[in-house]
Amino acid sequence: MTRVHAYAAPDATTPLQAHVIERRDLKPTDIQIEILYSGVCHSDVHQARSEWGPAIYPLVPGHEIVGRVSAVGGQVSRFKVGDLAGVGCMVDSCQHCDSCAEGLEQYCENGATWTYNSRERDTRLPTHGGYSTAIVVTEGFAVHVPESLDIRAVAPLLCAGITMFSPLNHWKIGKGHKVAIVGLGGLGHMGIKLAVAMGADVTLFTTSQGKADDALRLGAHHVVLSTDRAAMKAARGRFDFIISTVPSGHDLNPYLMTLRRDGQLVIVGALEPVGLSGLPLVGQRRSVAGSNIGGIAETQQMLDFCAEHGIVPEVEMIRMQDINEAYERMLNNDVKYRFVIDMAAYRAEQEQASD
């Protein structure tokens, strides 16, 4: 076992604090990654505070990880020391169910092993995430990060990016499609960038007129204020595809009415949408669906697509020591649009302190 520096939540109410964790010795198909950057996701807060069910403490969050491979097991074939690698929301799955066989490990029928707040399949030891200086993961659950991308901004692609790319890719969105994104945040701003790069005509739905200029700067072609009844009425029957990124319960019916016949509204945000009526669905054969992250192959596809089109999230860099303040700012929507922790700086500080 290797001891590495990290930041952990000791319980549901105590702020995150410096901690030392142990990473397993390399198995034959494992790689060790020296973490350079770790993205901060809204779900980190929920899990650190045990808001999505009982958490495993001490809990080291972080499932948007970018770093350099520092060691490889004897049977590793896809990575070599020095490669730029990423780890997203999963670090393992059963590998034999129908979903895994189709490259959809995120829907593993026996339960995926998540990057943190989960348990390793063989040892049952807790998994720990990217708020740490190193991670060990089987090579099959790491992805190659294109060197052409700004690596300081890549990490959120491994959650926010793939969360938006996966439904756009699954429903084959492209040139000629009219797409709407509900909400301009960490997810929504990535949805705009990706859908525009795919060739779609893209609209942002927002409750804040102040976000209109930013949406247009990010590439959106139109902005509709969802609190404006006249604007919503004018948008009826306009869209082929809508992705809702709103993290809280909200009325879906007004958005459903803006879909064309056979249109899709996909939920990636709120887990408890409200106000769903059957009339807007059956009247025009519209559908409501949900989508999770992508599998490993699709995550690699997303990264390669982003490299081809020069897409990275809008990020604000922070120190590891500022994570608790970042959590509060994120809950107050005070970030454009994702925080990224500079783990290399944190590692240097720890090494200097130990000298």
Side-chain angles (χ1 to χ4, degrees), residues 52-182:
W52 285 356
I56 305 169
Y57 294 108
L59 184 148
V60 178
H63 56 206
E64 301 174 343
I65 300 166
V66 171
R68 294 277 178 191
V69 176
S70 56
V72 299
Q75 296 177 16
V76 169
S77 59
R78 295 179 54 243
F79 292 89
K80 64 182 184 302
V81 172
D83 282 353
L84 194 59
V87 178
C89 300
M90 303 175 288
V91 291
D92 205 355
S93 69
C94 80
Q95 296 292 288
H96 58 73
C97 70
D98 290 344
S99 292
C100 287
E102 294 177 39
L104 300 171
E105 299 93 346
Q106 73 275 30
Y107 301 120
C108 176
E109 289 145 38
N110 293 297
T113 301
W114 306 111
T115 305
Y116 70 88
N117 200 25
S118 189
R119 292 190 181 275
E120 294 185 353
R121 306 189 80 83
D122 50 358
T123 67
R124 304 306 299 164
L125 292 173
T127 58
H128 294 299
Y131 296 8
S132 57
T133 54
I135 189 170
V136 174
V137 61
T138 179
E139 67 168 337
F141 279 78
V143 289
H144 287 275
V145 175
E147 296 276 359
S148 62
L149 290 172
D150 177 1
I151 64 170
R152 288 164 52 90
V154 165
L157 290 176
L158 296 164
C159 178
I162 187 59
T163 295
M164 299 306 289
F165 182 87
S166 189
L168 291 166
N169 187 49
H170 177 73
W171 275 278
K172 298 180 172 56
I173 298 305
K175 188 175 181 180
H177 286 114
K178 293 186 182 298
V179 171
I181 306 296
V182 183

Side-chain angles (χ1 to χ4, degrees), residues 7-85:
Y7 253 59
D11 54 56
T13 59
T14 303
L16 273 68
Q17 56 192 239
H19 189 66
V20 175
I21 59 173
E22 291 186 331
R23 296 296 191 186
R24 68 175 183 254
D25 293 333
L26 289 180
K27 299 176 184 177
T29 58
D30 279 347
I31 62 173
Q32 179 175 295
I33 299 171
E34 183 179 282
I35 299 175
L36 301 176
Y37 302 104
S38 182
V40 181
C41 180
H42 214 112
S43 60
D44 296 348
V45 181
H46 292 303
Q47 297 199 64
R49 298 180 179 181
S50 203
E51 293 170 351
W52 285 356
I56 305 169
Y57 294 108
L59 184 148
V60 178
H63 56 206
E64 301 174 343
I65 300 166
V66 171
R68 294 277 178 191
V69 176
S70 56
V72 299
Q75 296 177 16
V76 169
S77 59
R78 295 179 54 243
F79 292 89
K80 64 182 184 302
V81 172
D83 282 353
L84 194 59

